[in-house]
Amino acid sequence: MERRLFLVQILIWVIIVMGQIHRYNSCVEKERKGLLKLKTYLLLSSIKEDDTFETWSNDTVSDCCRWERVKCNRTTRRVIGLALHELPLIGLPLVINLSLLYPFEELQTLNLSKSWIGGFNASFLEGYQSLRRLRNLEILGITFSQLCKITLFLRGNNMDGPFPAKELKYLTNLELLDLSKNRFDNSTPVQGLANLRKLKALDLSRNVFTGWGQLQGNLTSLRVLDLSSNQMTGKVPSAIGSIESLEYLSLFDNDFRGFFSLDSLANLSKLKVFKLSSISNSLQVESEGSWKLDFQLHVIALPSCNLGKLPYFLQHQKELRLVDLSDNRLHGLFPSWLMDNNTNLEVLLLRNNSFTNFQLPKSAHRLLLLDASGNEFSQLFPHDIGWILPNLRHLNLSKNSLQGNLPSSLANMKKMYYLDLSHNDLYGKLPRSLTMGCYSLMFLKLSQNKLSGSIFTEPTNLTSLEVLSLDNNQFSGRIGDGLLNSSFMYALDMSNNYLTDIIPSWIGNLSYLSMLLISNNYLEGQIPVSLIDIYNLVLLDLSANRLSGDLPHRINSDTRMLFLQDNNLSGTIPDTLLGNHVSILDLRNNRLSGNIPKVVSNQKIYILLLRGNNLTGSIPYQMCGLSNIQLLDISNNRLNGSIPSCLSNISFSFPTLQHDGQEGYDAGMMFVSSDIFGGMGLDEDFFSTEDLGRYYRSMLMLDPFTVDYMADSEIEVQFAAKRRYDSYIGVTLGFMFGLDLSENELSGEIPAELGDLVDIRALNLSHNRLSGAIPQNFSNMEDLESLDLSFNILHGQIPSQLTKLSSLAVFNVSYNNLSGIIPLKGQFSTFDETSYFGNPLLCGQPSNRSCNNDTLKETPANVGEEEEDVIDTVSFYWSIFAAYVTALLGILASLSFDSSWSRNWFYVVDAFIHKVKILTS
C-alpha cells in the first residue's frame, strides 16, 4: 500500500515538473492565440499562396516562440519581436487593425516595411490607440513606404489615410523610429514625439516635408537625425545646433536657400557626421575665417553650398573618412593635404570645381574613392598614382585637360573596379600593364581623348569588365580579339575612331552584351549574323561605316534600337525587320530598294527613318497602324501615289504606351555598388541581438556610402525641320514630333485629315507633285513649328486660318501656283519673301507686288493639272530659248573685237573651210 502511495506521489511530481517545463518552454497562451488571429488577418490580405506562416500552427503543443518571424524573451517567453516585413499583401479594402497587437504588451521590435503591395489606407487604420499599450516598443520600422497628405503608403504596400502621430507619444521606450522613404508632407511630425525621451535615432529621410516644426522638444537622447531628401525650403534654422546629443545630422538633398553659418554647429560636441546640400544651388554656407571646430568629424558633406573657398576648420580635422565638397566653385591648388592630414580618409569627392594642379599625397595612402572630375587640371597625368594610391577602387578624373600617356603604375591598383579618364587630352597607346594588371576593372571609360594604336590585338586579363568606352579617340587598324575572355561585357563603345577591316564575329560570343556601338569608323563587309543572335542586345549602332550587303532578315526580340544609317547596304527591307519589338529603326542614306514592307504591326516603334534610299511604290496604308510614331522620315526616295489620309491615325505625340527602361530613348543600365564601408542596414538581420548597435554603427562610424554606376548611351537622331537638318538628343528628342515625305513623286491633293495631327511640330511635303489647295484645317496643328510645302503645284490662296499657328517659325510655299493676298497676321508677319518665291500670282508684303484686280483673281479651281503642266512646259522652253540667244549674242560680240583669240578662231574656221573644199573637189 505504501509503495503504491509512493508511486502515485512520484507520478504527481513528474506531472507537475513536466507541466512547469512545458510552461517554461512554451509561449504565453494569450499571445499564441493573438498570433493566430494575426495570421488569419494577414492571410486574408495575401495575394498569393505563401508559406510564410506555415509554422504558425493551431496545434496547442506548438511553441509560438519557435515560429518564423517571431522572437520571444528567453526567460519570460513573452513575444518581443514581430518581423512582418516584405509580405505579399494587399490592403484595400481590408483594414489594418492595430488592435491585433494588443496581446503583445512586451513587444520591443515591430517591422512593417515593404509589405502591402496593393495598398492600405491609414483611414482604414483601426485600433491605432493600441500603440499606447506597446510601451516597451523600441524599434518601429515602416520604411520603404509612400506617405501622402495625411495618408500613409508603404511602398508596395500603398497605405494611405491619416497617420496616428499623436499615438507615438505613448511609446515611451522607443529608441529607433524609421519613417523614411514615405511621402509625408507639410512640417515634420516631431511635435508628437516630444515625450520620447529615450529616442536615439529618428529617420524621416526621403519624404516630402516642406517645413521644420519643433525639432528640439525633449529629445535629449537623440543621436541620429536624418531629414535628407525632402523638400524643405527657406533657411536652415540655427536652432538645429541646440540638440547637443546629436552625433549624426543629415540635411542632405533639400531646397534650402539663404545663408547658413557653420558656427551653428559649435555646441554639437558629439557630432561625427554632418551632411547639408541644396538642390536649387541657392544656399550659401559660410564659416568665419579662422574659426575651427573643437571636435573631430568623421563625415563632412557640403556639395552645392556655394562655399567659394575651402573652410578653414578642415585644416584641423584629423579623423575624416568622407569629404564631399563637390559643386562649390572652389579654386586654387588641389587640396592633397586633406589626405595627408587624415590618414583614414576613404572617400574624397571634389568634382565640378575649379581646382588646378592635381597633386598626390606625400606618401602612400589608403584612399578608396577619388572623384575630382570637372576641374581644371592641365598637367601631365601623374606617373606614380598607382604607387601612391594602391587601394583605390574608384577613380574619376574625367572632364579635365590632363595630358600624357597612361602610366604603367596603374597596374598596381589591383582592386580598382571603376576608372574614368574620359574627356581629357591623353595620348599614346593603351599600356599592357593596364589591360593585364587591373583585373578587377568593371568600368573603363577612356572616351574623348587622343589615344591611338590598335585595339586589343593581344590577350587581356580584363575578365570582370562590364563597361568599356573607347569612343572618340584615334584608334586604328582592325579590332583584335583580346576581349574574348571579357564574357561579362555589357556595354562596348568604339565609335568615332579609325577602325578598319570587318566587324569580328567573336563579338557575338559576348552573351551579356546589351549595347554595342561601333559607328563612324571605316568598317567594311557584311553585318555578322552572330551580332543579331546576341540574346540581350538592346542597342546596336553600326552607322557611318562602309558596310555592304543585305539587311539582316531578323533581329533579336530584345533589340530596341537599331542604327544602320550612312552605309552601303542594299536589297529590300525585310518584313520581319519591322517586328514587334524595335523602338527606333534608322536606315537612312543606304542603297535600299523595293517597296516599304506592307506587313507593319509594331505598336512600339517610335522613330522610323528611311530617308535617302531608292524605295519605290506607294506608301502602304498599313503604316497608318504605327499609332505611336513620333518621327517618320521617308523622304528622298521614289515613292509615288497619293498620301494616305489615314496617316492622321498616327498621333505624332507622346506615345500612349509607357516606355519601360529598354524602350526609352537613352539606352542604359544601372549598376549599384555595395556599401564601400560595409555598413549593414536594419532589415538585413532584423532579430540580431545588436539591432541598435549595428544601426548606429552603420550610420555613425561607418556611414553607408554607395555609388550608383550608369552605363548609358545618349541616343541621337537627325531630322529635318526649320530648313536645317538637326540632331535631337535625350529629352529634346522626346519632345520632337514630325513627318517628312519630301523629295518623292507623290501626287494628288493633300489630305485634309492631316490637319488632325494637332501635336505635330514639323511637316514637310516639299518637292513632290501635290496639287489642289492648302487645307484650311492645318490651323488645328497648334504646336506646328515648321511647315514646308514648296516645289509642288498647289493653287488657290494661302488660308488665312493659318495665322492662328502661334508657334510657326518656318513657312515655305515657294514654287507653287498660289495666288491672292499673303496673310500678315501673327507669325506670318515674320516671314520674308523667300517663303513665297515662284508664285507670281501672290501679292502683298513681303512679295513687293501690289494687289490689283488682276492679281486678286484666283486661278480657277477647274484648271486641272494638265493646264498647270503646260504652263510649266512653256516656261521651260522659253527659258532655254532665252539662254541660247544670250549665249549666241555673247559669242558674236567677242568675235567683233580684234584680238589674238578672235584671229585664231577665224584661222581655224578658214582652215576647216579649205579642207572641206579639197574633199569635195
Side-chain angles (χ1 to χ4, degrees):
M1 185 67 182
E2 292 180 357
R3 184 178 181 182
R4 290 183 180 178
L5 181 61
F6 176 74
L7 291 176
V8 171
Q9 290 177 341
I10 291 179
L11 182 59
I12 293 173
W13 279 107
V14 169
I15 293 174
I16 294 174
V17 171
M18 291 298 295
Q20 292 293 329
I21 294 174
H22 177 74
R23 180 180 178 184
Y24 177 78
N25 288 329
S26 179
C27 61
V28 177
E29 181 65 17
K30 180 178 71 173
E31 293 186 340
R32 190 180 73 85
K33 292 180 178 179
L35 288 172
L36 292 176
K37 287 184 179 180
L38 185 62
K39 169 188 174 181
T40 302
Y41 177 83
L42 293 175
L43 287 179
L44 288 174
S45 301
S46 180
I47 61 173
K48 63 180 180 179
E49 292 293 331
D50 192 87
D51 58 359
T52 302
F53 301 106
E54 195 173 274
T55 58
W56 294 29
S57 171
N58 289 317
D59 189 349
T60 55
V61 181
S62 177
D63 181 6
C64 65
C65 289
R66 297 178 180 272
W67 293 354
E68 291 184 20
R69 297 179 175 264
V70 178
K71 182 178 182 180
C72 293
N73 183 291
R74 294 182 179 180
T75 303
T76 64
R77 312 304 290 169
R78 299 298 297 268
V79 174
I80 60 174
L82 286 176
L84 304 179
H85 60 294
E86 299 183 1
L87 298 176
L89 306 177
I90 58 174
L92 298 175
L94 297 174
V95 297
I96 304 305
N97 193 342
L98 292 182
S99 63
L100 292 172
L101 302 177
Y102 169 75
F104 317 113
E105 295 179 356
E106 295 187 13
L107 189 65
Q108 298 176 10
T109 303
L110 174 62
N111 189 352
L112 298 173
S113 59
K114 295 187 289 186
S115 292
W116 278 267
I117 296 173
F120 67 83
N121 188 304
S123 63
F124 292 92
L125 200 65
E126 288 186 350
Y128 62 77
Q129 290 83 358
S130 301
L131 286 174
R132 72 182 66 186
R133 299 177 182 271
L134 308 178
R135 297 183 181 275
N136 294 311
L137 192 65
E138 296 178 354
I139 300 178
L140 175 60
I142 53 175
T143 61
F144 289 82
S145 314
Q146 297 181 355
L147 277 165
C148 287
K149 224 180 208 183
I150 66 169
T151 62
L152 175 61
F153 287 87
L154 292 175
R155 181 183 298 171
N157 303 343
N158 199 22
M159 182 180 181
D160 62 20
F163 176 70
K166 293 181 180 180
E167 293 299 319
L168 291 173
K169 65 184 180 181
Y170 296 105
L171 306 179
T172 54
N173 289 315
L174 192 64
E175 293 188 0
L176 187 152
L177 178 58
D178 186 349
L179 303 176
S180 62
K181 299 182 182 179
N182 289 283
R183 293 187 61 188
F184 287 110
D185 58 5
N186 296 325
S187 60
T188 52
V190 294
Q191 291 92 331
L193 307 180
N195 293 332
L196 305 184
R197 300 187 179 187
K198 295 184 179 180
L199 191 64
K200 296 180 180 179
L202 176 60
D203 191 347
L204 302 177
S205 62
R206 302 193 188 188
N207 285 280
V208 286
F209 294 125
T210 57
W212 286 90
Q214 298 295 322
L215 288 175
Q216 304 97 309
N218 296 317
L219 302 177
T220 55
S221 299
L222 193 63
R223 297 172 58 189
V224 175
L225 177 58
D226 193 343
L227 297 171
S228 60
S229 300
N230 280 282
Q231 297 179 9
M232 295 184 176
T233 58
K235 294 184 177 181
V236 181
S238 57
I240 197 77
S242 64
I243 311 178
E244 298 182 5
S245 58
L246 279 180
E247 301 177 33
Y248 180 105
L249 175 58
S250 180
L251 307 175
F252 205 73
D253 190 28
N254 279 282
D255 192 18
F256 298 120
R257 300 170 185 269
F259 295 90
F260 176 74
S261 176
L262 292 174
D263 302 0
S264 303
L265 307 178
N267 293 330
L268 304 183
S269 58
K270 299 179 180 179
L271 194 64
K272 298 298 181 184
V273 176
F274 180 60
K275 299 181 179 182
L276 172 64
S277 69
S278 176
I279 58 176
S280 64
N281 201 30
S282 299
L283 174 67
Q284 184 163 347
V285 175
E286 298 177 330
S287 64
E288 297 299 329
S290 59
W291 175 81
K292 62 179 182 179
L293 291 176
D294 294 329
F295 50 88
Q296 296 293 316
L297 292 170
H298 291 169
V299 174
I300 179 73
L302 298 172
S304 302
C305 287
N306 292 300
L307 289 172
K309 60 181 180 180
L310 287 168
Y312 175 79
F313 76 88
L314 289 178
Q315 298 184 23
H316 300 276
Q317 294 291 308
K318 307 295 183 183
E319 299 179 11
L320 289 171
R321 297 194 62 191
L322 183 150
V323 175
D324 186 356
L325 301 176
S326 304
D327 299 283
N328 270 301
R329 300 183 297 169
L330 300 173
H331 54 83
L333 299 178
F334 180 78
S336 58
W337 50 265
L338 281 170
M339 291 179 276
D340 290 324
N341 293 350
N342 298 273
T343 56
N344 291 323
L345 188 66
E346 295 184 321
V347 177
L348 181 57
L349 305 174
L350 299 172
R351 55 179 173 263
N352 299 326
N353 284 291
S354 299
F355 288 119
T356 58
N357 194 18
F358 177 68
Q359 296 178 340
L360 296 173
K362 297 176 183 178
S363 58
H365 197 277
R366 58 189 297 179
L367 194 69
L368 298 179
L369 188 150
L370 173 60
D371 189 343
S373 58
N375 279 279
E376 298 178 2
F377 308 140
S378 58
Q379 77 273 23
L380 292 174
F381 192 87
H383 68 280
D384 55 348
I385 189 171
W387 305 113
I388 301 298
L389 302 174
N391 296 314
L392 272 183
R393 301 179 186 178
H394 175 118
L395 175 60
N396 189 348
L397 295 176
S398 64
K399 299 177 183 178
N400 284 284
S401 299
L402 292 169
Q403 304 176 26
N405 294 283
L406 294 174
S408 59
S409 67
L410 289 173
N412 197 44
M413 297 177 172
K414 306 295 185 184
K415 298 179 180 179
M416 183 164 58
Y417 55 76
Y418 183 94
L419 176 61
D420 188 350
L421 302 177
S422 61
H423 296 269
N424 280 287
D425 294 321
L426 302 171
Y427 49 79
K429 298 181 179 180
L430 289 178
R432 186 152 177 77
S433 56
L434 171 66
T435 60
M436 294 298 294
C438 297
Y439 48 79
S440 298
L441 269 176
M442 297 172 60
F443 301 83
L444 178 58
K445 298 184 178 183
L446 300 174
S447 56
Q448 299 284 348
N449 280 285
K450 299 176 182 177
L451 299 171
S452 58
S454 56
I455 292 184
F456 303 121
T457 53
E458 298 180 289
T460 67
N461 195 26
L462 303 174
T463 54
S464 300
L465 198 60
E466 296 184 8
V467 176
L468 176 61
S469 300
L470 302 175
D471 56 286
N472 292 282
N473 279 284
Q474 299 174 9
F475 293 113
S476 59
R478 68 180 184 87
I479 301 174
D481 57 2
L483 294 175
L484 265 174
N485 56 356
S486 300
S487 56
F488 297 103
M489 185 80 72
Y490 168 84
L492 176 59
D493 190 349
M494 298 182 287
S495 56
N496 291 289
N497 282 285
Y498 300 96
L499 303 175
T500 58
D501 209 347
I502 63 173
I503 300 175
S505 59
W506 63 261
I507 297 180
N509 296 330
L510 303 177
S511 58
Y512 291 98
L513 196 63
S514 183
M515 297 189 296
L516 176 62
L517 302 95
I518 327 179
S519 62
N520 287 284
N521 283 285
Y522 299 97
L523 299 170
E524 301 175 342
Q526 297 185 346
I527 300 173
V529 177
S530 59
L531 295 188
I532 309 300
D533 290 335
I534 300 177
Y535 181 77
N536 295 304
L537 195 63
V538 174
L539 167 63
L540 177 61
D541 188 352
L542 306 178
S543 62
N545 280 285
R546 298 175 179 176
L547 302 175
S548 57
D550 294 339
L551 290 172
H553 287 276
R554 57 178 175 80
I555 58 174
N556 194 283
S557 59
D558 278 352
T559 304
R560 298 289 188 269
M561 288 160 275
L562 185 60
F563 296 89
L564 300 176
Q565 71 271 20
D566 299 311
N567 279 289
N568 296 317
L569 299 171
S570 58
T572 59
I573 301 176
D575 294 347
T576 53
L577 200 59
L578 291 174
N580 294 323
H581 306 283
V582 65
S583 299
I584 301 177
L585 179 61
D586 193 343
L587 302 176
R588 291 173 297 124
N589 303 321
N590 279 284
R591 299 179 181 178
L592 302 173
S593 58
N595 298 331
I596 297 175
K598 294 183 178 181
V599 182
V600 179
S601 58
N602 188 348
Q603 297 299 314
K604 293 185 179 180
I605 189 166
Y606 306 129
I607 298 176
L608 178 59
L609 308 175
L610 305 178
R611 177 190 181 97
N613 284 283
N614 295 313
L615 301 175
T616 56
S618 59
I619 300 175
Y621 70 89
Q622 288 88 347
M623 291 196 77
C624 302
L626 303 178
S627 57
N628 289 299
I629 281 281
Q630 288 187 235
L631 291 177
L632 176 60
D633 186 352
I634 53 177
S635 63
N636 195 15
N637 282 283
R638 291 189 292 153
L639 300 171
N640 53 42
S642 60
I643 299 175
S645 60
C646 62
L647 287 179
S648 60
N649 297 336
I650 302 177
S651 63
F652 290 102
S653 63
F654 294 107
T656 56
L657 298 177
Q658 293 294 324
H659 292 178
D660 58 28
Q662 295 177 331
E663 293 176 331
Y665 293 131
D666 288 342
M669 182 174 182
M670 183 70 73
F671 300 82
V672 182
S673 76
S674 59
D675 181 359
I676 199 169
F677 293 149
M680 181 178 287
L682 182 64
D683 288 334
E684 294 189 35
D685 185 7
F686 191 83
F687 286 143
S688 169
T689 57
E690 300 179 352
D691 285 331
L692 293 177
R694 176 171 291 117
Y695 191 76
Y696 293 147
R697 185 164 61 253
S698 68
M699 294 190 75
L700 298 175
M701 311 306 294
L702 301 175
D703 189 50
F705 181 80
T706 58
V707 181
D708 293 341
Y709 296 109
M710 185 71 182
D712 58 2
S713 178
E714 198 169 41
I715 302 304
E716 176 179 340
V717 170
Q718 293 182 328
F719 191 82
K722 300 182 180 180
R723 295 176 179 164
R724 61 180 183 266
Y725 213 49
D726 287 333
S727 294
Y728 296 90
I729 302 174
V731 177
T732 306
L733 175 59
F735 283 93
M736 185 59 193
F737 318 116
L739 172 63
D740 193 344
L741 305 179
S742 63
E743 298 184 73
N744 280 288
E745 300 171 5
L746 301 172
S747 58
E749 296 186 354
I750 300 175
E753 290 82 354
L754 294 185
D756 296 333
L757 302 175
V758 293
D759 294 313
I760 200 168
R761 299 184 188 274
L763 177 61
N764 192 346
L765 304 179
S766 65
H767 293 85
N768 280 288
R769 300 174 183 174
L770 301 173
S771 58
I774 301 175
Q776 294 182 0
N777 66 345
F778 271 18
S779 61
N780 295 334
M781 298 186 284
E782 297 178 353
D783 293 330
L784 193 65
E785 300 175 4
S786 177
L787 176 60
D788 193 346
L789 305 175
S790 61
F791 291 92
N792 281 287
I793 46 178
L794 301 173
H795 63 76
Q797 296 185 352
I798 300 175
S800 60
Q801 292 87 346
L802 298 185
T803 58
K804 298 178 182 178
L805 301 177
S806 58
S807 299
L808 195 62
V810 172
F811 179 69
N812 191 355
V813 291
S814 59
Y815 298 99
N816 280 282
N817 291 322
L818 299 173
S819 59
I821 301 175
I822 299 174
L824 283 178
K825 293 182 179 180
Q827 288 295 105
F828 277 75
S829 63
T830 65
F831 304 141
D832 58 25
E833 60 181 352
T834 59
S835 297
Y836 309 103
F837 279 158
N839 291 280
L841 298 180
L842 284 176
C843 64
Q845 294 298 327
S847 67
N848 294 322
R849 285 191 294 271
S850 60
C851 294
N852 52 39
N853 292 333
D854 293 333
T855 57
L856 289 176
K857 291 181 180 179
E858 186 178 329
T859 305
N862 59 356
V863 177
E865 296 181 20
E866 295 181 1
E867 182 177 341
E868 292 166 344
D869 289 338
V870 171
I871 293 175
D872 288 345
T873 304
V874 172
S875 301
F876 174 74
Y877 286 138
W878 273 109
S879 61
I880 292 178
F881 176 74
Y884 173 78
V885 171
T886 301
L888 181 61
L889 292 175
I891 294 173
L892 293 176
S894 62
L895 292 176
S896 63
F897 296 98
D898 185 15
S899 62
S900 58
W901 183 87
S902 61
R903 286 194 297 271
N904 290 334
W905 168 258
F906 286 119
Y907 175 79
V908 171
V909 173
D910 289 341
F912 177 75
I913 294 174
H914 179 71
K915 190 171 183 178
V916 170
K917 287 182 179 180
I918 294 175
L919 292 174
T920 56
S921 61

